[in-house]
């Protein structure tokens, strides 16, 4: 339990400025390959969305950080990472309404709006990078999802490769369809699908997760993603959403259901990147593993019960909100362990006497 006049652990500073800068620069380096592939598949529109999203986040932090925090907080590079993550989860191009055709690509405006919301509402009011109780990128995209669901899930096909299906994988999964076949699987892994511009190349995201597990500075954070992935895989196997065939739900369809969960929407991207925000995590690797499993369970629950095409960002926000309760349960368990050890020691002493 926290000592008198001491802040609870989820409100303490979780890293120095140098640590925060190193973490964000590493995240930026790991995310850039996804942006480059987005540019390869969707052309210069993907770069426009990413650049505007990052600029909006940086400018919002420069302005409101100076006003509310009275200091320049852009130097930790977190605003750049937040803007880039929000852009990766958006389509590369959203056609504007006919009466507003002069505004061009609507995805650019949505990216800017989501980034400003993430910085102004979720990051700055709580004191900046080291004090955020919620993932700003998850909150920014959740805001766009709640306000513009028919826009942010309107995906255009790549001009470089034809998608496996014209509909997005997330929509196919919501309809109970299975798009995974031996012929389609390699194309799906390389992102030949309709979906967000930076989250579809599943094979690369898996490689980036392996890199995180190999990096000493990121291994503990990556355990959160491992817990998330295990929980999603187990729940998808026992509670599949793929419609059963004529012979019922066989093993092949259960495995396909796991694949459809991971290959659709931004689920794997959010698990590998958004979920690892340092200020929103417990402080030890095994508790991060459990925390990730909690977020994975919430993701599957919201995907089954939610009304949006993709609900993973809401699961991350709910898991973030549960962190104080998570700590309280951990403290209570530790106190119980201490009490049992003291009681056992006292009984041993009494027996010896």
């Amino acid at each position: 339990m926290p000592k008198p006049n001491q802040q609870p652990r989820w409100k303490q500073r979780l890293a120095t400025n140098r640590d925060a800068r190193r973490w964000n620069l590493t995240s930026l380096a790991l995310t850039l390959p996804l942006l480059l592939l987005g540019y390869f598949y969707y052309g210069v529109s993907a770069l426009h969305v990413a650049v505007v999203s990052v600029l909006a986040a940086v400018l919002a932090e420069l302005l409101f950080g100076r006003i509310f925090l009275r200091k320049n907080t852009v130097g930790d590079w977190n605003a750049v990472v937040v803007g880039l993550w929000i852009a990766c989860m958006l389509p590369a191009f959203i056609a504007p309404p006919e009466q507003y055709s002069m505004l061009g690509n609507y995805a650019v405006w949505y990216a800017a709006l989501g980034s400003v919301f993430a910085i102004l509402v979720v990051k700055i009011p709580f004191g900046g990078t080291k004090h955020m109780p919620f993932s700003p990128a998850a909150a920014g995209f959740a805001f766009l999802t709640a306000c513009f669901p028919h826009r942010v899930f309107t995906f255009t096909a790549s001009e470089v490769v034809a998608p496996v299906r014209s509909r997005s994988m997330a929509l196919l999964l919501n309809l109970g369809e299975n798009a995974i076949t031996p012929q389609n699987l390699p194309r799906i892994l390389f992102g030949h699908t309709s979906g967000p511009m930076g989250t579809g190349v599943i094979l690369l995201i898996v490689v980036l997760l392996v890199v995180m597990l190999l990096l000493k500075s990121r291994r503990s954070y990556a355990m959160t993603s491992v817990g998330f992935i295990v929980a999603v895989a187990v729940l998808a196997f026992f509670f599949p959403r793929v419609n059963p065939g004529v012979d019922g739900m066989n093993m092949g369809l259960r495995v396909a259901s796991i694949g459809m969960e991971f290959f659709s929407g931004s689920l794997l991207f959010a698990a590998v990147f958004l979920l690892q925000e340092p200020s929103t995590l417990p402080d030890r690797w095994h508790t991060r593993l459990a925390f990730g499993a909690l977020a994975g369970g919430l993701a599957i629950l919201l995907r089954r019960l939610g009304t949006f095409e993709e609900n993973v960002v809401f699961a991350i926000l709910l898991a973030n909100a549960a962190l104080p309760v998570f700590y309280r349960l951990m403290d209570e368990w530790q106190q119980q362990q201490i009490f049992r050890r003291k009681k056992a020691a006292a009984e041993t002493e009494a027996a010896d006497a």
Side-chain angles (χ1 to χ4, degrees):
M1 299 297 288
K3 298 178 182 179
N5 301 322
Q6 180 183 2
Q7 286 184 321
R9 281 185 286 179
W10 59 88
K11 292 185 180 180
Q12 294 177 15
R13 294 177 59 148
L14 299 178
T16 64
N17 289 331
R18 184 179 178 183
D19 292 335
R21 187 181 303 110
R22 184 187 301 115
W23 190 91
N24 285 302
L25 286 174
T26 304
S27 298
L28 180 62
L30 291 168
T31 311
L32 283 177
L34 296 173
L35 176 61
L36 293 177
L37 281 174
Y39 168 68
F40 174 75
Y41 284 135
Y42 299 102
V44 72
S45 296
L47 294 184
H48 289 163
V49 175
V51 169
V52 171
S53 183
V54 169
L55 285 177
V58 171
L59 292 175
E61 184 155 339
L62 276 173
L63 177 61
F64 296 108
R66 181 66 68 179
I67 293 174
F68 295 107
L69 301 180
R70 302 185 184 279
K71 60 182 179 180
N72 183 358
T73 60
V74 177
D76 59 17
W77 288 77
N78 182 256
V80 176
V81 172
V82 169
L84 187 57
W85 285 351
I86 290 176
C88 284
M89 292 185 289
L90 284 169
F93 181 83
I94 300 176
E98 185 176 350
Q99 63 270 30
Y100 300 116
S101 59
M102 74 290 296
L103 295 178
N105 185 1
Y106 248 39
V108 170
W109 302 101
Y110 289 142
L113 182 61
S115 294
V116 171
F117 179 89
I119 300 299
L120 178 59
V121 177
V122 181
K123 181 178 179 180
I124 297 299
F126 295 98
T129 302
K130 300 186 296 295
H131 308 275
M132 303 178 300
F134 300 97
S135 167
F141 191 76
F143 169 73
L144 296 176
T145 298
C147 295
F148 313 103
H150 300 296
R151 291 288 184 177
V152 297
F153 299 121
T154 302
F155 303 111
T156 56
S158 169
E159 296 181 359
V160 178
V161 293
V164 172
R165 298 282 188 91
S166 58
R167 294 176 173 178
S168 69
M169 297 287 284
L171 181 57
L172 291 175
L173 180 59
N174 289 337
L175 296 174
E177 296 185 27
N178 175 25
I180 301 176
T181 64
Q183 295 77 22
N184 287 342
L185 182 58
R187 300 178 62 199
I188 292 173
L189 292 176
F190 282 96
H192 300 180
T193 56
S194 297
M197 71 179 200
T199 70
V201 187
I202 302 301
L203 187 60
L204 179 57
I205 296 176
V206 172
V207 171
L208 293 174
L209 177 58
V210 173
V211 171
M212 292 178 184
L213 290 169
L214 293 176
L215 290 174
K216 184 177 180 181
S217 61
R218 294 295 292 253
R219 188 176 304 143
S220 178
Y221 299 109
M223 295 307 296
T224 313
S225 303
V226 172
F228 183 101
I229 290 171
V230 170
V232 168
V234 171
L235 291 173
F237 181 83
F238 287 105
F239 304 100
R241 287 200 290 161
V242 172
N243 290 331
V246 293
D247 298 327
M249 183 58 68
N250 55 33
M251 183 64 68
L253 286 177
R254 291 184 183 274
V255 174
S257 179
I258 297 174
M260 287 294 293
E261 293 287 355
F262 285 121
F263 300 161
S264 62
S266 300
L267 184 132
L268 195 59
F269 174 85
V272 173
F273 290 98
L274 275 61
L275 191 60
Q276 293 187 28
E277 196 75 56
S279 63
T280 65
L281 297 180
D283 51 5
R284 295 185 179 181
W285 73 266
H286 56 277
T287 53
R288 290 174 179 176
L289 190 70
F291 181 78
L294 170 64
L298 289 171
I300 289 295
L301 180 64
L302 290 179
R303 276 188 155 198
R304 293 184 70 94
L305 303 179
T307 58
F308 301 115
E309 184 172 320
E310 179 56 88
N311 297 278
V312 65
V313 290
F314 296 102
I316 291 176
L317 294 174
L318 286 175
N320 294 159
L323 185 58
V325 178
F326 201 79
Y327 270 132
R328 183 65 61 87
L329 293 174
M330 288 170 52
D331 287 334
E332 184 64 28
W333 182 80
Q334 290 173 358
Q335 292 296 323
Q336 290 292 332
Q337 292 294 105
I338 293 172
F339 173 77
R340 290 191 182 95
R341 284 196 294 268
K342 288 182 177 180
K343 183 178 179 181
E347 290 176 350
T348 302
E349 292 178 1
D352 293 340

